[in-house]
Amino acid sequence: MPQQLSAQHLRVHQVAQDDPLAAPLLAELAVEYSSRYGRSAGEMHATLRDYPAAEFAPPHGALLVVTRDGEAVAGGAFQRYDAETAELKRIWTAREHRRQGLGLFVLKQLEAEVGRRGYRRIYLTTGPRQPEAVGLYLAAGYTALYDPAVPAEQIGPHPFEKYLPVDELGATA
């Protein structure tokens, strides 16, 4: 039975793309994508590393890894999309830690960091063979920028957006 999410046991680390803490999550993400989309895990891992590390580094981006008791269990990243918009990438929960609320936890951590960086809008895409991700983004208040009546494979990448709330002082709430 999966362990229930307890934020008190979780720690959020901001790391570089080549940090050893991120390696197991990125490797598992490559395997998952290859099984869903038919490319080799090696090709997918190379694709994940094709993004320049600077894109996911301050001041415009970040790569967050969530650990529980020292073990990397989830993570995600963002990069600058435009002056007002951050683009989320690589949101991931390790297979043995799914269905515990970690995906939503990662989203909230990313949204908070995006807001601290001054972005007001978040954009992301997910693939047509990732219905769990579609469900997560919709449940977290993201707006689908595609027609959900069209079959997923015909849409291709599924784009979403979310505007961050702004309080009366102009800071992200």
Side-chain angles (χ1 to χ4, degrees), residues 50 140 161:
D50 283 345
E161 72 177 357

PDB file of all heavy atoms in Angstrom, residues 50 140 161:
ATOM      1  N   ASP A  50      18.684  17.403 -23.805  1.00  0.00           N
ATOM      2  CA  ASP A  50      18.954  18.336 -24.898  1.00  0.00           C
ATOM      3  C   ASP A  50      18.693  19.786 -24.507  1.00  0.00           C
ATOM      4  O   ASP A  50      19.226  20.696 -25.126  1.00  0.00           O
ATOM      5  CB  ASP A  50      18.116  17.994 -26.130  1.00  0.00           C
ATOM      6  CG  ASP A  50      18.666  16.800 -26.892  1.00  0.00           C
ATOM      7  OD1 ASP A  50      19.819  16.421 -26.641  1.00  0.00           O
ATOM      8  OD2 ASP A  50      17.938  16.248 -27.731  1.00  0.00           O
ATOM      9  N   ALA A 140      -5.926  20.751 -10.999  1.00  0.00           N
ATOM     10  CA  ALA A 140      -5.151  21.811 -10.355  1.00  0.00           C
ATOM     11  C   ALA A 140      -5.508  23.201 -10.887  1.00  0.00           C
ATOM     12  O   ALA A 140      -4.834  24.173 -10.559  1.00  0.00           O
ATOM     13  CB  ALA A 140      -3.655  21.548 -10.532  1.00  0.00           C
ATOM     14  N   GLU A 161      -2.799  26.276 -19.704  1.00  0.00           N
ATOM     15  CA  GLU A 161      -2.305  27.492 -19.099  1.00  0.00           C
ATOM     16  C   GLU A 161      -3.003  27.724 -17.772  1.00  0.00           C
ATOM     17  O   GLU A 161      -4.084  27.181 -17.518  1.00  0.00           O
ATOM     18  CB  GLU A 161      -2.511  28.721 -19.998  1.00  0.00           C
ATOM     19  CG  GLU A 161      -3.943  29.164 -20.114  1.00  0.00           C
ATOM     20  CD  GLU A 161      -4.131  30.422 -20.955  1.00  0.00           C
ATOM     21  OE1 GLU A 161      -3.137  31.016 -21.420  1.00  0.00           O
ATOM     22  OE2 GLU A 161      -5.293  30.801 -21.164  1.00  0.00           O
TER      23      GLU A 161
END
